[in-house]
């Protein structure tokens, strides 16, 4: 609670949040013990939220006319591993209570592509996408969700 500045107005709210936190904590511990080195889970500011509450924070809204557009990239001469944190990934950011995951994933992709192309890691503004990347009633909806493809179009 102290680490993330959490406080609860009533004893009932505290007990309710503690029960959720405890369940999430045990889920994390079980996962980390069972999955070894694949990936680890950890506690964060969302550990006292139910799955339903957490999902409300997610704002991805795919457009109906999605057609995958993939390019094949030859792997000849590429290193067997790369630590992208050193070359193409900015530090972790927090979208807070805003359902703007679409904006964060877009800036992360563009930041990485820009860093690889230009050799300079720059942090782009999710807030600008949330505020400005709106293209009509079916477009991005700020903190109420959006689509990365529309945000990429805004960048273009």
């Amino acid at each position: 609670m102290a680490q993330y500045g959490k406080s609860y107005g009533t004893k009932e709210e505290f007990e309710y949040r503690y029960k959720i936190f405890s369940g999430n904590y045990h889920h994390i511990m079980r996962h980390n013990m069972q999955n070894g080195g694949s990936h680890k889970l950890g506690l964060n500011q969302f550990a006292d939220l139910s799955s339903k509450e957490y999902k409300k924070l997610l704002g991805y809204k795919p457009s109906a006319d999605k057609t995958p557009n993939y390019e094949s990239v030859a792997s000849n001469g590429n290193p067997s591993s790369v630590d992208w944190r050193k070359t193409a990934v900015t530090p972790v950011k927090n979208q807070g209570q805003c359902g703007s995951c679409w904006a964060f994933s877009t800036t992360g992709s563009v930041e990485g592509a820009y860093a690889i192309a230009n050799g300079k890691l720059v942090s782009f503004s999710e807030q600008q996408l949330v505020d400005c990347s709106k293209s009509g009633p079916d477009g991005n909806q700020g903190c109420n969700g959006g689509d990365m493809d529309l945000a990429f179009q805004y960048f273009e």
Side-chain angles (χ1 to χ4, degrees):
M1 288 175 58
Q3 182 176 357
Y4 295 108
K6 298 280 185 163
S7 63
Y8 309 107
T10 65
K11 180 181 178 189
E12 291 77 20
E13 179 72 6
F14 171 82
E15 290 172 350
Y16 173 73
R17 295 290 161 201
Y18 183 78
K19 183 177 178 182
I20 293 171
F21 171 85
S22 184
N24 288 336
Y25 175 79
H26 291 295
H27 169 76
I28 290 167
M29 294 301 117
R30 275 192 306 276
H31 170 86
N32 290 346
M33 287 174 29
Q34 293 173 352
N35 291 302
S38 72
H39 69 281
K40 291 191 178 273
L41 301 180
L43 296 173
N44 60 28
Q45 66 270 30
F46 306 115
D48 64 345
L49 299 180
S50 68
S51 294
K52 187 176 180 180
E53 291 169 320
Y54 179 73
K55 286 179 184 175
K56 284 184 180 180
L57 297 176
L58 306 178
Y60 174 59
K61 295 183 178 184
S63 55
D65 60 339
K66 287 251 185 211
T67 305
N69 181 12
Y70 304 107
E71 289 184 30
S72 178
V73 178
S75 61
N76 299 343
N78 292 331
S80 61
S81 68
V82 175
D83 186 346
W84 292 110
R85 297 171 297 178
K86 296 178 181 174
T87 58
V89 179
T90 59
V92 173
K93 301 172 185 174
N94 183 351
Q95 74 184 46
Q97 298 296 317
C98 177
S100 57
C101 61
W102 61 273
F104 282 75
S105 63
T106 302
T107 57
S109 296
V110 174
E111 289 165 354
Y114 184 87
I116 292 167
N118 297 292
K120 184 176 180 187
L121 186 57
V122 177
S123 182
F124 293 111
S125 173
E126 294 80 13
Q127 190 64 54
Q128 183 172 353
L129 289 175
V130 169
D131 292 343
C132 303
S133 172
K134 299 177 180 180
S135 53
D138 295 327
N140 292 327
Q141 303 296 312
C143 285
N144 294 317
D147 185 303
M148 290 83 65
D149 288 341
L150 295 173
F152 286 129
Q153 289 172 13
Y154 174 83
F155 262 109
E156 291 172 356

